[in-house]
Amino acid sequence: MTRTRIALHEVAPRDGLQMEAVFVPTDDKVAWLDQLSGLGYAKIEVTSFVSPAAIPALRDAEEVMRRIHRAPGVAYTALVPNARGAERAIDGRADEFNLVMSASATHNLANLRMTQAQSFRTLADVTRMAQQAGVAVNVSLSCAFGCPMQGDVPPAEVMGWIDRFVDLGVQGVTLCDTTGMADPGQVLALCGAALARQPGTAFTAHFHDTRGLAGANVFAALQAGITRFDASLGGIGGCPYAPGASGNAATEDVVHLLQCLGLDCGLRVETLAPAADTLQALLGHALPSAVRRAGPRWQRHAPPADFDSIRDRALAREAGQAGQA
Ligand code: COA
Ligand code: ZN
């Protein structure tokens, strides 16, 4: 297992809030983002510059980008689907565009209303706009591990899209398991193949815990050599245009796993709790993260109140049995 520092990308403000029924008021979003900024993330996905009719929860993207306090060393990224989004993101001084396209032709149409060829042409234009503006580009390839509508996506097709985006000059590619279809064997193979094929590209893995495999998939991706992970505080999130989508790998759960493995990501489970408390209060419902519920494995619980008498009785019985022997 590598000892490299792991970069954690917080996606709850985007992938998380886009799926929530409530609109989190802008003042509250900004205050919560400022809370997240101090925690040690390498990157925070702040918002989406998409159609406000498609994703009403993020309709305040401009104002949020303008008002957040930016911590040194944190990259503030935003999702950009088209040229209109790119103009808005440049005005919003995003450090990076997170372009989105699906490895599945069906999900691409359902989510972005474009064929993959149309998406690629659009994103090629957007990449040129980013390059002229001196903004970094990451591409998130949705459904890279399978599509809930179409089924398996051949790895050769995923590699083909990676090559085409790398040829455009993008800095990073995120392999997204949009609806939790990935399994650890598949993750090991696909992430390993991507890293071997494009060693100069910054790859990120993005898992959803839909079927309880997010932790196993993070472990497999680490073994393949991935050092960057998207995660969502509390485990909220999902794509409203992907049937059956549910929460992302929870940041608490991923950080806990990394701490158990002795890998440094700059965050600790304990320091995440106050920001998750804020989020829970804003959303008004419990968050699905397992570690938030159970606490970390190093948290100790008090023994039962009558523990001393239980122990004394057991010791007395043990002494009696020893006397008889
Ligand atoms: N920012 C703001 N508004 C935008 C926009 C952007 N980046 N892109 C399109 N729009 C608006 C248009 O102005 C138009 O508005 P109108 O109906 O008031 O005239 C409307 O959205 C439709 O525009 P159109 O160019 O016909 O695009 P579309 O209907 O083909 O939609 C997307 C394409 C991708 C921009 C839109 O579906 C979208 O933003 N989807 C959200 C995808 C998403 O975030 N999914 C979850 C994350 S993966
Ligand atoms: Zn996602």
Side-chain angles (χ1 to χ4, degrees):
M1 186 72 64
T2 169
R3 290 275 140 193
T4 322
R5 182 169 169 135
I6 305 300
L8 246 269
H9 305 165
E10 179 55 62
V11 301
R14 197 279 299 172
D15 204 347
L17 294 189
Q18 75 182 11
M19 196 67 168
E20 293 292 329
V22 298
F23 176 78
V24 174
T26 308
D27 287 352
D28 294 334
K29 254 182 213 152
V30 170
W32 175 57
L33 275 153
D34 288 347
Q35 196 179 3
L36 294 175
S37 279
L39 297 181
Y41 293 103
K43 196 186 280 186
I44 297 177
E45 189 170 24
V46 179
T47 188
S48 283
F49 288 101
V50 295
S51 154
I55 308 284
L58 303 178
R59 61 178 183 262
D60 55 0
E62 271 84 357
E63 194 180 346
V64 171
M65 285 301 279
R66 195 172 59 245
R67 288 179 50 195
I68 52 170
H69 292 96
R70 302 183 187 215
V74 182
Y76 293 89
T77 188
L79 188 141
V80 171
N82 54 19
R84 169 91 188 278
E87 285 162 7
R88 295 173 61 204
I90 290 169
D91 286 348
R93 294 192 303 113
D95 295 322
E96 179 194 84
F97 289 180
N98 186 24
L99 310 188
V100 56
M101 167 167 172
S102 188
S104 148
T106 313
H107 179 245
N108 203 73
L109 279 165
N111 188 34
L112 300 168
R113 301 169 195 284
M114 288 180 263
T115 66
Q116 287 172 304
Q118 285 167 329
S119 269
F120 185 76
R121 275 198 300 278
T122 299
L123 298 184
D125 291 342
V126 170
T127 301
R128 275 188 289 276
M129 290 171 72
Q131 286 163 343
Q132 277 160 15
V135 180
V137 177
N138 183 78
V139 180
S140 282
L141 275 181
S142 315
C143 296
F145 300 89
C147 167
M149 294 167 279
Q150 188 182 308
D152 289 337
V153 175
E157 286 181 24
V158 179
M159 295 302 140
W161 290 118
I162 291 171
D163 288 352
R164 294 181 71 181
F165 280 107
V166 171
D167 288 347
L168 290 181
V170 308
Q171 284 78 20
V173 174
T174 302
L175 297 171
C176 300
D177 182 26
T178 309
T179 63
M181 291 180 73
D183 69 73
Q186 179 196 21
V187 169
L188 191 60
L190 195 74
C191 292
L195 287 165
R197 194 174 174 98
Q198 296 291 357
T201 300
F203 283 100
T204 300
H206 173 117
F207 297 114
H208 283 251
D209 206 18
T210 319
R211 296 178 176 82
L213 287 177
N217 289 332
V218 169
F219 188 68
L222 284 167
Q223 286 186 316
I226 296 284
T227 57
R228 299 174 187 82
F229 291 91
D230 285 355
S232 175
L233 196 67
I236 61 167
C239 175
Y241 299 99
S246 69
N248 286 65
T251 308
E252 296 89 329
D253 300 0
V254 174
V255 170
H256 180 259
L257 171 61
L258 296 173
Q259 281 184 254
C260 289
L261 296 172
L263 293 172
D264 178 21
C265 67
L267 294 118
R268 288 186 307 109
V269 169
E270 290 77 4
T271 52
L272 290 168
D277 292 344
T278 304
L279 177 62
Q280 181 163 315
L282 290 173
L283 299 180
H285 65 72
L287 306 176
S289 158
V291 169
R292 178 170 173 76
R293 235 180 8 256
R297 71 183 292 282
W298 50 87
Q299 179 180 308
R300 294 292 164 259
H301 297 269
D306 56 349
F307 181 77
D308 287 350
S309 69
I310 294 173
R311 184 195 52 210
D312 292 347
R313 281 201 305 276
L315 288 175
R317 272 199 307 277
E318 191 179 51
Q321 284 156 2
Q324 285 163 16

